[in-house]
Amino acid sequence: MRIIAAATMLALGLGATAAHAEDWKKDYKVVKFGILSGENESDRIARYTPFKDYLKKTVGVDVEIFTAGNYDGVIQALAANQIEFAFLGSSAYAAAYTESEGGMVPLLTQQQEDGSTGYFSVVVVRCDSPYKKVEDLKGKTLAFADPDSTSGYNVPYFNLDKQGFKPTEFFGAIPFSGSHEAGVAGVANGQFDAAATYINNEINGIPQRMEAKGMIKKGEICWIWQSPEITSGPFTARANLPEGLITAMKDAVKNVPTADPVAFKEMSGAEKSTAKGYVEVNHDRYQWIIDMRDWFKKQRRG
């Protein structure tokens, strides 16, 4: 009888624990996740809709996609408690962490088939242009993507400056295009001489994805500069969320490659993707990005 009683008490205890873990659903009828403006809004929503449907089924609450016209819109929405999660670049995470005074938790980052968890900033030009190296762009227009873009602004600006190409002095103009796709498209149509964007490797990145979507012609865009490897940005949660909600979303995202391969393939960039899944990360991995952003602040004050 004691064994039966103990088993019953254990079952009741586990049931209570499970119920407690689900308590967050009372306060979060809808969970929102944000995605940055790397590409046009309709394509962003289309790529993430299967993933949204997967989350709704897996987590058990309604799920909404949040988009904004620029990176700061997603960052501010996180900091203002308007959305719960976001897929951020490294610099956008640093901005959100700073804006919220440490109120963000990086959970996962994407891992490629070769085991890497990084990517590269590149400066692209038209392949038929006379620009074959950065030196050829003196006095020309280099478009950056967004002030909060890691690969589209912070990393290329920082590294070009360190390499002796002080952007405000070396280039004729350094406008913001608003998104990675807009910058690359601007190079293709002659609006910009060059633009900063990113690639994961030789076959996957913004230019390759735009080729696949028919936005630019194959072989129209080449890159003439590449940064050191950048730590991939994290899937991020607000730190003030219930632990049960954070765990549920983290597990769902981590399991999507096997639980819903179609959704994972779409959100990773469809046919051109070399992503294989997600690995856990912590804040220490992104501290250097915060340090780099501090460098920018000092430059502006100077």
Side-chain angles (χ1 to χ4, degrees):
M1 293 294 293
R2 289 181 180 177
I3 294 176
I4 295 174
T8 301
M9 291 299 293
L10 177 60
L12 290 172
L14 291 174
T17 300
H20 181 70
E22 296 288 298
D23 283 350
W24 60 268
K25 292 184 178 180
K26 298 176 183 178
D27 298 318
Y28 293 87
K29 304 296 185 184
V30 178
V31 174
K32 300 183 180 74
F33 71 90
I35 47 178
L36 300 179
S37 56
E39 58 190 327
N40 66 77
E41 183 174 7
S42 61
D43 284 346
R44 273 182 284 163
I45 293 175
R47 280 206 303 121
Y48 279 88
T49 294
F51 174 67
K52 179 197 75 170
D53 296 339
Y54 157 78
L55 284 182
K56 181 177 179 180
K57 178 176 62 177
T58 304
V59 179
V61 295
D62 284 337
V63 177
E64 293 181 3
I65 301 171
F66 177 87
T67 63
N70 56 29
Y71 284 36
D72 194 54
V74 175
I75 293 167
Q76 293 300 324
L78 269 176
N81 295 331
Q82 294 172 351
I83 62 176
E84 286 71 49
F85 300 87
F87 287 92
L88 300 176
S90 297
S91 189
Y93 165 75
Y97 185 87
T98 302
E99 180 72 19
S100 64
E101 297 182 344
M104 298 296 148
V105 180
L107 303 176
L108 303 163
T109 197
Q110 202 169 82
Q111 184 178 46
Q112 303 301 312
E113 289 176 351
D114 62 3
S116 66
T117 54
Y119 61 112
F120 304 89
S121 172
V122 292
V123 171
V124 300
V125 299
R126 283 187 61 92
C127 297
D128 60 5
S129 76
Y131 314 126
K132 307 304 178 187
K133 54 186 182 300
V134 176
E135 287 84 349
D136 298 333
L137 291 172
K138 184 173 178 59
K140 304 301 180 181
T141 298
L142 169 64
F144 290 109
D146 184 285
D148 289 310
S149 171
T150 308
S151 60
Y153 178 60
N154 289 283
V155 166
Y157 192 109
F158 177 75
N159 281 279
L160 285 168
D161 185 275
K162 293 298 185 183
Q163 292 169 13
F165 305 105
K166 189 173 181 62
T168 55
E169 298 175 2
F170 182 79
F171 302 103
I174 49 173
F176 287 110
S177 64
S179 73
H180 286 268
E181 283 189 348
V184 175
V187 171
N189 65 32
Q191 181 182 0
F192 309 125
D193 298 301
T197 186
Y198 75 84
I199 62 169
N200 298 107
N201 46 49
E202 291 293 327
I203 63 172
N204 184 42
I206 288 292
Q208 301 96 322
R209 190 180 299 163
M210 291 176 71
E211 282 186 359
K213 292 192 292 187
M215 298 178 67
I216 58 175
K217 297 176 183 176
K218 186 174 179 60
E220 188 173 26
I221 295 296
C222 295
W223 50 91
I224 60 172
W225 178 89
Q226 182 171 309
S227 75
E229 187 178 44
I230 305 166
T231 304
S232 295
F235 177 64
T236 300
R238 290 185 355 232
N240 59 3
L241 294 175
E243 184 178 349
L245 171 55
I246 293 177
T247 299
M249 283 289 283
K250 180 180 179 180
D251 289 346
V253 174
K254 192 171 185 178
N255 293 331
V256 67
T258 53
D260 195 333
V262 173
F264 178 65
K265 185 176 181 181
E266 285 298 317
M267 66 190 286
S268 300
E271 298 298 333
K272 289 290 185 179
S273 175
T274 59
K276 72 172 185 179
Y278 294 92
V279 294
E280 296 185 15
V281 290
N282 58 34
H283 174 77
D284 291 344
R285 183 164 183 163
Y286 302 97
Q287 185 59 48
W288 76 272
I289 300 290
I290 293 175
D291 295 340
M292 181 177 66
R293 290 176 63 87
D294 287 341
W295 176 87
F296 273 99
K297 291 179 181 178
K298 291 175 182 177
Q299 299 303 305
R300 295 186 188 108
R301 287 199 297 267

